[in-house]
Amino acid sequence: TVAEMVRAAFQAQRSFLLLASQCQEPQENEVAVLLKPISEKIQEIQNFRERNRGSKMFNHLSAVSESIPALGWITVSPKPGPYVKEMNDAATFYTNRVLKDYKNSDTRHVDWVKSYLNIWSELQAYIKEHHTTGLTWSKTGPVASSMSMRSVLTSGSGLSPPPPPPPPPGPPPIFDTETAKDEGTASRSALFAQLNQGEAITKGLRHVSDDQKTHKNPNLRAQGPPVRSPTKSHTPSPTSPKNSPQQNHPPVLELEGKKWRVEYQEDKNDLVINNTELKQVAYIFKCNKSTLQIKGKINSITIDNCKKFGLVFDNVVGIVEVINSRDIQIQVMGKVPTISINKTEGCHIYLSEESLDCEIVSAKSSEMNILIPQDGDYKEFPVPEQFKTAWDGSKLVTEPAEIVG
């Protein structure tokens, strides 16, 4: 299913590239319209991953979901190639898990990893050859429009484009805030940048009454549906967020199928989820200066794009993931086997006596601390951020660098 979605996304990008090879660059708002089919395909792939968190192929789906924004290279200037590589690196975080699970049992998965990652390597080569500093539009022909796109699609291969032949991928976000690039690029980037993420801890917890929950209060639901979160967008720089204009979304706390959605909560330190079941997952998106308590046993929890957010939970049988967030505090009351921290600045994890065997997996993150219970208090241990690697004659050996206090 997801392979077909990816094929359709690449096909949508191929059509766009074919259009660019025959038409001149239009105004910014028209570009946004022409890019919509690609962005919709990307969104579809990311939503599919979120709907299948219980799948045995979740790491495969995540590798695809986290890297498919590479199709947004057409909005990136002047370095679209490195942007695709960054998306490829995001996929590698999950394909390494696939290799770990299957390298000794089923080589098909190993072959799939090589084949999938090769797609992005090939795309980088294509970009380097034909669109080194950004998408190249035709200097002749009509100005691109929805009408000319329909013309390209209907005439198909009958038209031979002056510039290079257009093959691969499509669009998401790119934030280059260091050198304020031309405003056109920035607004195009903002078009696909509806993802990013995290932070605080537990105090004053109280139960949220039914009239405050969207799934039990029709009046709240009538205020307008929240925008569905795309999940984890990998942006070139951690300082990206100050980009697109702030939009106000109604806060969400509801059970949708097997997924608890907690979204757009601001300054709420009394959020509580009760009546959990083992098959349920929790997805926390763009919550700021808030605290959530999850009681009972749940399958998995994801904190995405949050800031100054505190989480307290009893038991998780799968994984707790923190993605694209800042200033997060997590307290484990019972057990959890794995906590993953990715692209996050500032994460404090308070483990319980029962959860001391928890594995902490981190990548592209900073200011991470694990607090271990000792003598009725907590002792803080920093997670290494710096590593040293040396060649021992036969292989590379990597170990944490000493943290100088």
Side-chain angles (χ1 to χ4, degrees), residues 27-326:
Q27 293 295 315
E28 211 54 54
N29 57 348
E30 185 65 29
V31 172
V33 173
L34 295 172
L35 289 174
K36 193 175 179 185
I38 309 173
S39 62
E40 286 177 345
K41 297 297 181 189
I42 291 172
Q43 183 73 67
E44 182 183 25
I45 291 166
Q46 293 177 326
N47 287 343
F48 183 79
R49 176 243 198 181
E50 283 306 308
R51 292 198 305 271
N52 289 277
R53 284 190 161 269
S55 169
K56 290 181 180 178
M57 299 290 179
F58 182 68
N59 285 326
H60 302 65
L61 294 177
S62 296
V64 176
S65 172
E66 296 294 293
S67 56
I68 199 66
L71 296 186
W73 71 267
I74 50 181
T75 70
V76 178
S77 175
K79 296 181 179 180
Y83 174 70
V84 173
K85 183 182 184 306
E86 176 145 356
M87 298 302 105
N88 194 18
D89 292 344
T92 304
F93 178 80
Y94 290 97
T95 55
N96 284 344
R97 293 183 180 183
V98 174
L99 294 177
K100 180 183 175 184
D101 291 342
Y102 292 100
K103 65 182 177 183
N104 297 320
S105 60
D106 193 337
T107 56
R108 291 178 305 162
H109 297 269
V110 178
D111 293 340
W112 177 83
V113 166
K114 292 177 181 175
S115 179
Y116 183 71
L117 294 180
N118 188 55
I119 292 173
W120 303 122
S121 301
E122 290 294 322
L123 177 58
Q124 287 176 66
Y126 166 78
I127 293 170
K128 186 176 181 181
E129 184 176 354
H130 300 296
H131 305 277
T132 314
T133 58
L135 178 65
T136 303
W137 290 84
S138 174
K139 301 296 183 206
T140 60
V143 174
S145 65
S146 301
M147 189 70 74
S148 52
M149 175 66 90
R150 280 195 289 274
S151 171
V152 166
L153 293 176
T154 51
S155 34
S157 57
L159 288 168
S160 98
I174 161 71
F175 310 111
D176 229 342
T177 52
E178 296 173 3
T179 52
K181 308 253 188 272
D182 91 87
E183 285 189 25
T185 302
S187 56
R188 245 177 288 170
S189 304
L191 178 69
F192 300 107
Q194 299 139 312
L195 6 134
N196 267 49
Q197 328 65 97
E199 354 179 34
I201 202 168
T202 74
K203 48 186 185 199
L205 293 171
R206 67 175 176 76
H207 184 65
V208 178
S209 60
D210 287 349
D211 64 344
Q212 292 176 289
K213 298 180 184 177
T214 54
H215 67 298
K216 291 193 176 181
N217 186 344
N219 293 328
L220 280 180
R221 217 173 305 139
Q223 294 173 7
V227 173
R228 288 196 60 77
S229 61
T231 159
K232 28 299 130 320
S233 94
H234 293 280
T235 58
S237 107
T239 55
S240 17
K242 331 168 182 128
N243 203 6
S244 47
Q246 193 70 33
Q247 287 180 298
N248 291 323
H249 301 278
V252 178
L253 196 164
E254 67 177 7
L255 179 60
E256 183 182 83
K258 296 177 184 177
K259 178 163 79 171
W260 284 97
R261 291 174 53 209
V262 185
E263 301 175 5
Y264 305 109
Q265 300 286 346
E266 296 278 347
D267 294 302
K268 293 282 187 181
N269 287 311
D270 51 10
L271 301 169
V272 179
I273 292 178
N274 283 314
N275 308 318
T276 53
E277 297 178 14
L278 195 53
K279 61 186 178 182
Q280 293 174 347
V281 301
Y283 182 66
I284 304 156
F285 180 71
K286 283 204 170 179
C287 294
N288 298 322
K289 299 178 182 176
S290 299
T291 304
L292 168 68
Q293 183 176 28
I294 300 179
K295 298 182 177 180
K297 188 177 286 188
I298 195 170
N299 186 282
S300 67
I301 302 172
T302 298
I303 299 174
D304 184 4
N305 234 326
C306 297
K307 293 179 183 176
K308 289 186 166 51
F309 183 78
L311 169 69
V312 185
F313 66 88
D314 290 346
N315 296 285
V316 166
V317 296
I319 186 172
V320 173
E321 291 184 274
V322 183
I323 309 170
N324 291 335
S325 295
R326 184 183 296 233

Side-chain angles (χ1 to χ4, degrees), residues 6 89 125 353 359 381:
V6 171
D89 292 344
E353 293 283 358
E359 289 186 348
F381 296 88

Side-chain angles (χ1 to χ4, degrees), residues 383-389 397-403:
V383 176
E385 299 171 30
Q386 192 173 24
F387 301 87
K388 59 182 179 182
T389 300
V397 177
T398 301
E399 58 185 25
E402 289 294 326
I403 297 174

